[in-house]
C-alpha cells in the first residue's frame, strides 16, 4: 500500500516526462586530456575546495550556466551566439572572393541538381519591397529568359554579401541587426516570398508603409554558405601546409622534375579548389603519390608542431600501392606509357586527345620477367603484371581530372531505384505519406527535389524500402567506351593488343574504385540538400505558430476605448478533462498572469436527465459566477487530439453559459466589447508547454491541467514567448514540425527554432520591463540580437537590482547598469522596448538614428535642429508626442526623404533612404503590429486538430478499421435504406449503407455485423463539416484488385513510379506439404478445404511448423472441437503461438462428405465472414499489423519478465529522476503482452497486461488504435482503478 501511495504521488512526474528523458543515453566519458585541462583550470581558480562551485553538483552548475566559461561569455562584449559558434579560421581574408563563391553556390554551381537553391531562387524571382505586380512580372520574365541573375544586379548582390560578411564577422553584428538597421546596404538580399514583402505604398505621398514580418531566407542562406566556405578555406590552408612540407623534402632529396611538377600542379588545384569534393581529389592524389614524404612530415613533428594541422590526410590504397612502389613496379610505368594526367586532360576537354600511342618494343610478359625473383618477392610474371595494373589503376583513380570528369557524369546520369521491403509492402498503401517513393525505377538523381529525396532517405532508414543509387549499365558502358577511346592504343598489332589489355584492366580497376565512392558522394550531396529543404519546411511550420499576432477584441467604440491594441485583454482558457482529471478553467489578466482557476468535472458530462444533468447544471452555475466575477474578453478551448466529442461538448456548454450571461448578466461583459467571444485554439504547443521546465518552475504547486490552461491562454496572446520557453528547456524538440523532421539532428532542429524565433522576436520587439516583471516573457530575451541565455539573465538581474527594479531608458543598460557592452547593446537596442519618459525608446528606431529622427521632425515642423538636439528631456518628449499625433502626420508624409538621404550620403553616413522611410513610419505607428492577424480555426482545421486525422489519412479509397456502434434499420415511410453507424479509432463517425456491406444480398443488418464488432472498410467520401465518413466493406471493395486499381489511379501518372509489383517484393504464399505420419493418432478430423494456408495438422504440429516462420505467419487447421469449427494458429513471438477458434455456419450439400466441407458464414470473435479470404483480410491482416507495430515499438524489450524488470531497475539507477517503463511479451499469460513500469523511487515494478486486436490494442477495458495512444493514456493514468485491476485479473484467469 505504501508503494501504491508513492506511485500515485509520482504520477504527474511520469506524465510530464518526455520520451527524450526516458530514453536518454548516458553521456560519454571525457577524454583524459580534457580532464587534465579541467583540473588545471580548477587549480588556477584556487582549487576545488576553495570555490563555491564545489558545494554544488557540477551538472547543476553547468545547467545553470555558472561555470567560468559562462562568466567569460557574459563579460565579453561580443554577441553570445557568435562566441558559442565562432567562424572557422576567424574573419574572412578575402570577402570579395568569398561573396562571389557564395553567389555561385546560390545559383546552383557544382550542385547535383544544377539549379539554384531556395535562396538563389528568391534572388532570381523573389519579391522586393514596394514593387507592384507589373514591375515584378517584367523582371521575372527577364530572369527566366536569361536563366540567370541580370548582369546589372550581380555586382549589387555581390557587394551586399560583402557588406553582410564584414558587418557580421568584423563588426560583430547579428543578422537581425543588419536586416533591420542596415537595410539599404543589404537590400538586394531582402527579396523574399510575396506574403513577406512589403506592397507599394497606397497613399499619395508614398509614406504609409504596410510593414510585414520578414523571414530573411536569403540572408540566412548566405550565412550558411559562409560557414561552409570557412571550413573549406581552413581545409585549404592545412592541405597547403602539407604540400609545402612535402615540396621541401622533395627539393632536399633532389626528386625528379616530374614529381615536383605534379606537386606544383596539386598546389595550384588546392588553392583554386571551389568545393570540398575538389579538395578531396587533391588529397587522394597527394596521399597516394607522396606517401613517403607525408609520413616523414608527420614523424618529424611538422604535422602537429610547426604546421599546426588539425586534420590528418587519409591515404588511398596506402598499403598495396606503397608496397608495389617500394619493389620498383612504378619504374615500369614509362614502358607502360599511359599517363593519368594525359587521360584526365583528354576527358576534361571538348576536343578529345590521346594518351601516349607508342607501342613498347617488348611484350608485357617480357618486361615483367625482369622483376620475378626472390629479391622482389614476385613468384611469377602474372604477379608482376597484376601489380603493374594495380599501380596504374590506383593512379588513374587518384587523378583529380579523371575524378572531376566522372563526378560530373555521375551527377548528371546516376539514377535511383526503390523497392518496398516486406514491412514497406504492408505499411505503405497508396495514401501513406511516403507512398510516392515506394517504387521508383531509374529516376535520375538530378531530378529529385530536396523534400522528395528526404522522403526516400526516411523510408530507407525506417526499413520500408530498399534503396539503390547507381549508374545504369548503358551509361557505364558509354563511359567505359569514352575512357578507352582516349586511353588505349589505336595501332592494330599483337603487341598493341597485349598492352591494351593491361590498359583496359587498369581502367576497370579505377572504375571499380571510383564509381561506388563518387556515387556515395553524390548521395551525400543530395542528402545535404534534402536536409536544407527539410529545415526550410520545418521552419515554415514553426513560422505559422510564432509569427502570429495576439488575439485582439473587436472594440465597439474606438473613440471611447481606443484601438484594439489599447485594450487590456483578459483571457479565460479551458482544457477538457474526462472527469478525472476534471475540465479546468484558468483566468489570466492582461499580463498573462494566473488570477484564478476553476475545475468543473461534470460540465461536459453526458445525460439529459437525472443526476448527470444535475451535476452538469451545478458546474454551469459555478462557471457562470466565475465569468461574472472576472469578466474575460475571450474564452478559448483547447483542441485535444482524439477528444472530438468531449471538446465539442465542452465548447457547446460554455456557449450555453455565455448565452445566459448575454441575456441575464450583460454587465458581466467587458465594456469595450459587445460579447465574450468563444474559440477553439490549436493545442499542440500549449499541451507541450504544460509539462516544460519553465512552467513547472513557475507553477510548482499547481497541477498539470492548470499549467496547461495557463499555457493555452498565454499562447493566444504571445505565441513566440511560449515557444521560446520550450526552446530554452529543450522541450521544443518534441514539437512536430513535419513528417520528415526525423531526418534532422537535434542540433539542426533546435537551429530551426533559433532562426524562426530570432526573426520574429527581433522584428516585433520585447518590452524589457514586462519581461523582467513577468518571468514567462523572459525567454524572448534569449533570442534578441546580441543576447543569449547568459547575457539575457545578466540583463534581467541588472534591471531587477536597479533602483525601482525597472528600466527607465535603453541607454541605462550601458551607462548606469553596465549590463551590456557597446557591441551587444548596438545589436539589441532596436528590439528592446522601454516605455518611459524617452518616447523613442518605445519605438523600433535605433539610438544611432535618434539625431536623424529629431532632424526630420525639425524639418517637418520648422524647428531649429540644433536647439532641439540640446533641449531638455521634457521639451523633446513634447516635440516627439506632437510629431506622433495622427493629426500631424501629413507634415511628416510630405517630406522629401530622398533629398535628406542624399545629404547624409554626402556627409559620409551612407545611403539610408530605406532606413529613413522606416523611421518615419515608426513615428506614425510605434512598434506597430507586423505579424499576421489572429484568425479562428477553419472548419477543416478544427476537425483535423480534434481528431488527429489529415486529408491523407481519410482519403477516399483508404482502408480503415472501425467499430460498429449502431445498426439503423430501413424506414419504409420515407424509403431510406438501412445503414450501419461505425466509429474510427480517432472518434470520427462513419456510415456504411446496407448495399455496401456485402457483395451478397443482406436481409438484415444483424446477419452481417454486430454492435461492438471491429471491421475493415474502405472510405468512399468524407464530409468533415458533418463529422461523417462514408465507407463500404463488401468483399470486392476490400479485394487486392481494388487496391491495385486505386494505386494506378493515384500514382499511375507519376514519372518513374511503377505500379506493378517487382520481382522479390512479396513472396507468393505456397501451399505447405502435408505431413503424413501413419503411426501417430490424429486428434482431429481431416477436412476437405482448398486454401493455400490450410493444413490437416494438429495444434502441436502447427506450433512446430511455425517455429522457424516469421512473426504473424498463420496456419489454418482442423479444430479439435469437430467439423463445425476451424482453428487459426498464429505465431505471435519467438516460440509462442496463439489459437483462434472459427465457428462454421451452414454446410453446403448433404451427407457425410458435406460435413467435411467449409460452412458459411464463418464466425470469429462475434463477427461473421463470407469466406477464409475475408477472414484473412479483415481479421488476420489488421491483427498482424497491430502485433508488428507493438513488437517494433522503441519501448518493446525482449526477454523474460525478470530480465525486463532488471533492465528497468538499471535504468532507474542511472537516471533516478525518470520513471522507466517498457513493453514485453508475457510468458506467463499466453496471448497477452505486458506493460511494466517503475512508478516510485522504491524501485518496485508494476505489471499490467494488454491484448492485441484487429483494431489495435485492449488495455484496461479500453480500445486504442496505436501503441503511442495507449502509452499516452498510461502516462496520464499510471495507476489503474481497483475495479480495472480486478477485471484484468479475472480476464487473465
Amino acid at each position: 500500500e505504501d508503494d501504491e501511495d508513492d506511485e500515485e504521488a509520482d504520477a504527474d512526474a511520469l506524465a510530464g516526462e518526455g520520451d527524450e528523458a526516458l530514453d536518454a543515453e548516458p553521456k560519454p566519458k571525457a577524454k583524459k586530456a580534457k580532464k587534465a585541462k579541467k583540473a588545471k583550470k580548477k587549480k588556477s581558480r584556487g582549487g576545488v575546495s576553495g570555490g563555491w562551485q564545489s558545494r554544488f553538483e557540477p551538472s547543476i552548475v553547468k545547467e545553470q550556466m555558472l561555470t567560468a566559461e559562462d562568466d567569460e561569455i557574459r563579460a565579453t562584449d561580443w554577441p553570445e551566439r557568435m562566441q558559442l559558434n565562432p567562424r572557422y579560421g576567424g574573419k574572412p581574408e578575402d570577402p570579395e572572393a568569398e561573396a562571389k563563391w557564395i553567389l555561385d553556390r546560390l545559383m546552383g554551381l557544382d550542385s547535383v541538381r544544377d539549379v539554384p537553391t531556395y535562396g538563389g531562387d528568391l534572388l532570381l524571382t523573389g519579391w522586393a519591397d514596394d514593387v507592384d505586380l507589373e514591375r515584378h512580372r517584367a523582371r521575372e520574365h527577364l530572369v527566366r529568359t536569361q536563366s540567370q541573375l541580370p548582369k546589372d544586379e550581380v555586382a549589387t548582390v555581390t557587394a551586399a554579401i560583402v557588406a553582410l560578411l564584414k558587418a557580421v564577422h568584423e563588426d560583430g553584428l547579428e543578422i537581425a541587426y543588419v536586416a533591420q538597421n542596415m537595410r539599404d546596404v543589404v537590400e538586394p538580399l531582402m527579396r523574399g516570398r510575396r506574403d513577406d514583402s512589403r506592397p507599394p505604398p497606397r497613399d499619395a505621398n508614398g509614406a504609409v508603409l504596410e510593414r510585414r514580418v520578414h523571414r530573411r531566407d536569403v540572408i540566412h542562406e548566405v550565412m550558411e554558405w559562409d560557414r561552409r566556405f570557412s571550413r573549406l578555406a581552413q581545409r585549404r590552408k592545412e592541405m597547403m601546409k602539407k604540400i609545402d612540407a612535402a615540396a621541401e623534402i622533395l627539393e632536399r632529396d633532389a626528386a625528379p622534375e616530374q614529381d615536383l611538377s605534379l606537386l606544383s600542379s596539386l598546389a595550384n588545384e588546392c588553392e583554386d579548389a571551389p568545393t570540398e569534393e575538389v579538395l578531396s581529389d587533391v588529397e587522394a592524389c597527394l596521399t597516394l603519390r607522396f606517401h613517403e614524404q607525408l609520413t616523414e612530415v608527420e614523424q618529424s613533428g611538422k604535422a602537429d608542431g610547426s604546421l599546426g594541422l588539425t586534420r590528418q590526410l587519409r591515404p588511398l590504397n596506402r598499403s598495396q600501392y606503397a608496397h608495389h612502389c617500394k619493389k620498383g613496379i612504378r619504374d615500369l610505368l614509362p614502358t607502360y606509357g599511359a599517363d593519368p594526367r594525359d587521360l584526365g586532360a583528354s576527358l576534361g576537354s571538348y576536343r578529345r586527345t590521346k594518351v601516349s600511342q607508342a607501342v613498347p618494343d617488348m611484350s608485357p610478359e617480357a618486361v615483367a620477367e625482369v622483376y620475378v625473383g626472390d629479391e622482389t618477392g614476385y613468384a611469377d610474371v602474372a604477379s608482376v603484371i597484376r601489380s603493374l595494373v594495380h599501380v596504374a589503376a590506383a593512379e588513374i583513380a587518384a587523378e583529380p581530372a579523371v575524378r572531376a570528369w566522372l563526378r560530373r557524369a555521375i551527377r548528371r546520369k546516376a539514377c535511383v531505384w526503390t523497392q518496398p521491403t516486406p514491412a514497406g509492402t504492408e505499411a505503405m498503401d497508396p495514401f501513406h505519406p511516403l507512398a510516392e517513393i515506394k517504387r521508383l525505377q531509374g529516376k535520375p538523381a538530378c531530378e529529385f527535389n530536396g523534400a522528395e529525396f528526404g522522403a526516400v532517405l526516411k523510408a530507407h532508414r525506417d526499413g520500408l524500402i530498399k534503396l539503390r543509387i547507381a549508374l545504369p549499365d548503358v551509361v557505364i558502358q558509354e563511359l567505359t567506351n569514352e575512357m578507352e577511346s582516349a586511353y588505349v592504343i589505336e595501332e592494330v598489332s599483337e603487341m598493341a593488343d597485349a598492352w591494351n589489355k593491361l590498359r583496359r584492366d587498369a581502367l576497370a580497376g579505377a572504375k571499380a574504385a571510383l564509381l561506388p565512392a563518387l556515387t556515395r558522394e553524390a548521395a551525400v550531396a543530395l542528402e545535404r540538400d534534402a536536409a536544407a529543404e527539410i529545415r526550410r519546411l520545418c521552419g515554415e511550420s514553426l513560422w505559422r505558430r510564432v509569427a502570429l499576432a495576439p488575439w485582439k477584441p473587436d472594440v465597439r467604440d474606438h473613440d471611447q476605448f481606443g484601438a484594439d491594441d489599447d485594450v487590456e485583454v483578459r483571457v479565460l482558457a479551458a482544457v477538457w478533462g474526462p472527469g478525472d482529471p476534471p475540465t479546468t478553467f484558468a483566468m489570466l489578466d492582461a499580463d498573462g498572469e494566473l488570477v484564478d482557476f476553476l475545475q468543473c468535472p461534470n460540465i461536459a458530462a453526458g445525460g439529459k436527465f437525472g443526476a448527470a444533468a444535475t451535476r452538469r447544471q451545478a458546474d454551469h452555475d459555478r462557471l457562470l459566477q466565475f465569468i461574472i466575477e472576472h469578466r474575460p474578453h475571450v474564452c478559448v478551448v483547447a483542441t485535444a487530439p482524439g477528444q472530438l466529442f468531449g471538446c465539442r461538448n465542452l465548447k457547446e456548454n460554455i456557449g450555453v453559459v455565455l448565452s445566459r450571461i448575454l441575456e441575464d448578466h450583460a454587465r458581466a461583459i467587458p465594456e469595450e466589447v459587445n460579447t465574450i467571444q468563444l474559440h477553439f485554439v490549436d493545442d499542440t504547443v500549449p499541451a507541450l508547454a504544460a509539462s516544460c521546465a519553465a512552467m513547472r518552475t513557475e507553477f510548482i504547486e499547481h497541477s498539470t491541467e492548470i499549467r496547461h490552461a495557463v499555457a493555452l491562454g498565454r499562447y493566444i496572446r504571445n505565441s513566440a514567448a511560449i515557444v521560446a520557453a520550450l526552446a530554452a528547456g529543450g522541450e521544443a524538440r518534441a514539437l512536430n514540425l513535419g513528417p520528415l523532421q526525423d531526418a534532422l539532428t537535434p542540433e539542426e532542429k533546435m537551429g530551426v527554432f533559433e532562426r524562426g524565433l530570432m526573426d520574429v522576436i527581433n522584428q516585433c520587439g520585447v518590452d524589457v520591463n514586462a519581461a523582467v516583471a513577468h518571468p514567462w516573457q523572459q525567454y524572448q530575451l534569449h533570442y534578441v540580437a546580441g543576447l543569449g541565455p547568459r547575457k539575457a539573465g545578466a540583463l534581467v538581474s541588472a534591471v531587477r537590482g536597479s533602483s525601482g527594479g525597472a528600466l527607465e531608458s535603453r541607454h541605462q543598460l550601458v551607462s548606469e547598469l553596465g549590463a551590456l557592452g557597446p557591441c551587444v547593446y548596438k545589436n539589441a537596442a532596436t528590439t528592446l522596448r522601454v516605455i518611459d519618459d524617452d518616447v523613442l525608446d518605445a519605438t523600433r528606431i535605433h539610438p544611432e538614428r535618434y539625431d536623424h529622427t529629431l532632424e526630420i521632425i525639425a524639418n517637418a515642423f520648422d524647428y531649429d535642429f540644433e536647439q532641439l538636439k540640446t533641449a531638455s528631456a521634457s521639451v523633446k518628449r513634447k516635440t516627439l508626442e506632437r510629431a506622433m499625433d495622427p493629426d500631424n502626420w501629413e507634415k511628416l508624409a510630405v517630406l522629401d526623404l530622398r533629398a535628406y538621404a542624399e545629404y547624409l550620403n554626402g556627409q559620409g553616413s551612407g545611403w539610408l533612404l530605406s532606413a529613413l522611410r522606416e523611421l518615419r513610419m515608426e513615428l506614425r505607428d510605434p512598434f506597430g503590429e507586423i505579424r499576421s492577424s489572429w484568425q479562428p480555426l477553419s472548419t477543416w482545421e478544427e476537425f483535423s486538430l480534434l481528431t488527429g486525422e489529415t486529408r491523407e489519412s481519410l482519403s477516399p479509397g483508404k482502408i480503415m478499421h472501425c467499430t460498429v456502434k449502431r445498426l439503423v434499420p430501413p424506414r419504409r415511410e420515407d424509403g431510406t435504406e438501412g445503414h450501419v453507424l461505425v466509429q474510427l479509432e480517432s472518434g470520427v463517425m462513419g456510415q456504411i449503407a446496407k448495399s455496401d456491406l456485402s457483395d451478397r444480398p443482406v436481409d438484415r443488418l444483424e446477419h452481417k455485423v454486430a454492435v461492438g464488432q471491429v471491421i475493415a472498410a474502405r472510405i468512399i467520401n468524407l464530409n468533415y463539416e458533418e463529422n461523417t465518413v462514408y465507407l463500404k466493406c463488401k468483399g470486392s471493395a476490400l479485394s487486392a484488385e481494388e487496391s491495385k486499381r486505386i494505386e494506378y489511379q493515384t500514382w499511375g501518372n507519376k514519372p518513374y513510379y511503377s505500379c506493378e509489383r517487382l520481382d522479390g517484393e512479396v513472396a507468393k504464399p505456397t501451399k505447405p506439404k502435408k505431413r503424413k505420419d501413419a503411426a501417430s493418432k490424429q486428434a482431429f478430423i481431416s477436412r476437405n478445404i482448398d486454401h493455400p494456408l490450410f493444413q490437416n495438422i494438429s495444434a502441436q504440429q502447427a506450433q512446430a511448423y511455425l517455429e522457424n516462420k516469421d512473426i504473424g505467419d498463420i496456419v489454418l487447421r482442423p479444430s479439435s472441437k469437430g467439423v463445425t469449427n476451424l482453428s487459426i494458429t498464429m505465431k505471435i513471438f519467438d516460440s509462442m503461438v496463439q489459437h483462434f477458434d472459427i465457428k462454421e455456419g451452414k454446410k453446403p450439400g448433404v451427407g457425410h462428405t458435406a460435413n467435411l466441407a467449409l460452412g458459411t458464414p464463418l464466425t470469429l470473435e462475434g463477427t461473421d465472414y463470407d469466406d477464409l479470404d475475408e477472414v484473412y483480410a479483415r481479421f488476420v491482416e489488421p491483427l498482424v499489423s497491430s502485433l508488428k507495430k507493438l513488437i517494433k515499438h522503441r519501448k518493446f524489450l525482449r526477454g523474460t519478465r525478470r530480465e525486463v524488470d532488471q533492465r528497468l531497475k538499471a535504468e532507474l539507477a542511472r537516471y533516478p529522476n525518470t520513471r522507466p517503463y517498457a513493453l514485453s511479451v508475457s510468458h506467463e499469460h499466453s496471448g497477452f503482452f505486458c506493460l511494466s513500469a517503475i512508478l516510485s523511487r522504491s524501485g518496485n515494478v508494476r505489471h499490467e497486461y494488454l491484448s492485441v486486436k484487429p483494431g489495435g490494442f485492449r488495455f484496461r477495458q479500453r480500445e486504442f488504435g496505436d501503441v503511442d495512444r495507449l502509452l499516452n493514456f498510461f502516462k496520464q493514468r499510471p495507476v489503474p482503478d481497483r475495479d480495472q485491476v480486478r477485471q484484468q485479473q479475472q480476464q487473465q484467469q
Side-chain angles (χ1 to χ4, degrees), residues 1025-1053:
E1025 294 181 352
E1026 297 180 359
N1027 183 35
T1028 303
V1029 179
Y1030 297 95
L1031 309 102
K1032 53 184 176 181
C1033 63
K1034 57 177 63 177
S1036 58
L1038 299 176
S1039 65
E1041 291 76 13
E1042 179 68 9
S1043 298
K1044 189 173 183 179
R1045 185 192 67 80
I1046 293 175
E1047 184 176 7
Y1048 268 102
Q1049 179 180 340
T1050 307
W1051 301 111
N1053 296 325

Side-chain angles (χ1 to χ4, degrees), residues 432-434 451 454-455 458-459 462 534 537-538 541 544 735-744 950 952:
H432 192 277
L434 304 176
K458 175 176 173 57
D462 292 347
I534 293 170
L537 295 175
C538 291
S541 176
R544 291 190 290 269
L735 190 63
N736 184 14
L737 297 180
L740 301 178
Q741 65 174 6
D742 293 341
L744 303 180
T950 64
E952 292 75 21

Side-chain angles (χ1 to χ4, degrees), residues 91-269:
K91 302 176 183 178
E93 296 180 356
D94 189 351
E96 289 76 12
E98 180 180 347
K100 294 178 182 178
W101 183 88
I102 291 175
L103 182 57
D104 288 340
R105 305 286 88 70
L106 291 173
M107 294 298 109
L109 187 64
D110 295 324
S111 66
V112 176
R113 298 171 57 213
D114 198 26
V115 296
T117 64
Y118 184 77
D121 192 57
L122 289 179
L123 277 178
L124 292 172
T125 59
W127 286 75
D129 286 340
D130 305 328
V131 174
D132 57 23
L133 180 60
E134 184 178 352
R135 288 175 54 195
H136 174 78
R137 285 182 175 174
R139 181 185 178 277
E140 185 178 24
H141 176 72
L142 176 63
V143 168
R144 297 198 183 281
T145 302
Q146 298 178 350
S147 299
Q148 60 182 359
L149 198 66
K151 293 182 179 179
D152 58 335
E153 295 185 19
V154 173
T156 57
V157 172
T158 304
I161 296 176
V162 171
L164 175 63
L165 296 176
K166 289 182 177 180
V168 172
H169 298 303
E170 296 180 9
D171 301 332
L173 302 175
E174 290 206 78
I175 291 176
Y177 173 89
V178 174
Q180 286 179 260
N181 300 288
M182 298 176 61
R183 190 182 186 89
D184 295 272
V185 180
V186 297
E187 191 167 15
L189 306 180
M190 295 297 290
R191 289 188 176 274
R193 316 163 200 223
R194 185 172 188 178
D195 55 344
D196 286 356
S197 301
R198 188 174 62 210
R202 298 179 181 178
D203 62 316
N205 298 312
V208 180
L209 307 178
E210 186 182 328
R211 298 177 294 180
R212 297 175 178 176
V213 63
H214 200 286
R215 272 170 269 207
R216 299 162 180 170
D217 295 294
V218 179
I219 294 181
H220 283 293
E221 191 167 326
V222 167
M223 296 312 300
E224 289 175 4
W225 283 111
D226 169 63
R227 284 188 285 273
R228 291 180 61 177
F229 182 86
S230 64
R231 291 194 291 267
L232 175 66
Q234 188 68 14
R235 188 179 173 193
R236 278 182 191 162
K237 289 181 181 178
E238 295 187 356
M239 195 172 296
M240 283 304 301
K241 291 178 181 178
K242 285 279 190 180
I243 293 175
D244 292 341
E248 292 179 6
I249 296 175
L250 289 177
E251 292 176 356
R252 182 199 66 192
D253 297 341
E257 182 63 28
Q258 185 180 5
D259 290 348
L260 291 172
S261 174
L262 175 60
L263 196 60
S264 176
S265 174
L266 292 178
N268 293 334
E269 292 186 27

Side-chain angles (χ1 to χ4, degrees), residues 572-868:
L572 176 63
V575 176
W576 176 84
D580 182 19
T583 296
T584 303
F585 296 85
M587 188 66 214
L588 307 183
D589 61 15
D591 296 317
E593 297 296 342
L594 177 63
V595 176
D596 198 357
F597 67 89
L598 175 69
Q599 293 186 319
C600 300
N602 303 301
I603 192 169
K608 297 182 180 180
F609 308 100
T614 303
R615 291 193 295 267
R616 182 174 63 252
Q617 186 59 45
D619 280 348
H620 278 203
D621 296 338
R622 294 172 61 212
L623 178 60
L624 178 71
Q625 295 302 319
F626 190 79
I627 294 177
I628 292 174
E629 178 182 356
H630 296 293
R631 305 178 66 207
H633 291 84
V634 63
C635 179
V636 293
V637 181
T639 55
Q643 302 299 336
L644 174 65
F645 298 105
C647 291
R648 283 188 171 173
N649 195 16
L650 172 60
K651 185 182 178 183
E652 291 173 1
N653 280 275
I654 295 174
V656 171
V657 174
L658 294 180
S659 298
R660 290 175 58 188
I661 290 176
L662 184 63
E663 295 174 1
D664 304 330
H665 306 277
R667 291 188 178 181
I669 300 175
E671 58 275 6
E672 300 95 344
V673 296
N674 292 317
T675 184
I676 301 175
Q677 295 190 32
L678 177 62
H679 297 293
F680 270 130
V681 174
D682 183 357
D683 191 42
T684 307
V685 173
L688 186 61
S691 301
C692 74
M695 292 291 287
R696 290 201 303 267
T697 301
E698 183 179 359
F699 298 100
I700 192 170
E701 296 180 353
H702 290 291
S703 66
T704 303
E705 291 73 32
I706 297 175
R707 297 197 301 266
H708 189 174
V710 171
L712 180 71
R714 289 174 174 178
Y715 181 71
I716 71 162
R717 294 296 295 157
N718 193 340
S719 59
I722 299 298
V723 177
L726 291 174
E731 296 92 352
R733 287 191 291 266
L735 190 63
N736 184 14
L737 297 180
L740 301 178
Q741 65 174 6
D742 293 341
L744 303 180
T745 64
E747 293 75 18
E748 287 176 328
K749 190 171 182 181
M750 292 307 298
V752 171
F753 283 94
E754 181 178 288
R755 172 174 163 176
L757 289 171
M758 285 194 66
D759 281 345
V760 172
I761 290 173
N762 283 282
Q763 293 178 73
C764 297
V766 180
D767 188 330
V768 180
N769 290 327
V772 172
H774 307 289
W776 71 276
Q777 299 184 30
Q778 291 176 11
Y779 297 99
Q780 298 176 93
L781 294 173
H782 296 187
Y783 301 94
V784 172
L787 303 183
R790 298 162 185 81
K791 291 184 180 292
L795 183 151
V796 171
S797 299
V799 174
R800 283 179 177 169
S802 64
S803 58
L807 203 61
E808 297 177 357
S809 68
R810 286 171 171 169
H811 190 66
Q812 192 179 359
L813 290 169
V814 182
S815 58
E816 299 179 20
L817 301 180
L820 303 178
C823 178
V824 175
Y825 174 72
K826 183 177 182 179
N827 276 279
T830 303
T831 307
L832 300 179
R833 185 182 187 188
V834 180
I835 304 176
D836 210 281
D837 291 335
D838 194 334
V839 178
L840 292 180
D841 283 348
T843 69
R844 292 187 179 91
I845 301 173
H846 196 278
E848 294 176 339
R849 303 276 187 265
Y850 284 2
D851 287 347
H852 296 156
T853 307
L854 295 176
E855 190 167 3
I856 289 176
I857 294 174
N859 288 329
F861 292 91
D862 295 328
Y863 294 150
D864 185 287
F865 172 59
E866 295 299 330
Q867 291 184 0
L868 181 60

Side-chain angles (χ1 to χ4, degrees), residues 527-598:
E527 183 176 5
R528 187 168 55 241
D529 293 344
E533 178 67 10
I534 293 170
R535 288 198 300 271
R536 185 187 69 81
L537 295 175
C538 291
E540 289 185 357
S541 176
L542 175 66
W543 189 262
R544 291 190 290 269
R545 292 185 170 100
V546 298
L548 194 64
W551 179 90
K552 298 175 185 177
D554 186 9
V555 176
R556 60 186 178 88
D557 189 346
H558 291 283
D559 294 334
Q560 181 180 358
F561 302 107
D564 297 345
D565 296 335
D566 299 331
V567 178
E568 294 187 350
V569 176
R570 298 181 295 276
V571 179
L572 176 63
V575 176
W576 176 84
D580 182 19
T583 296
T584 303
F585 296 85
M587 188 66 214
L588 307 183
D589 61 15
D591 296 317
E593 297 296 342
L594 177 63
V595 176
D596 198 357
F597 67 89
L598 175 69

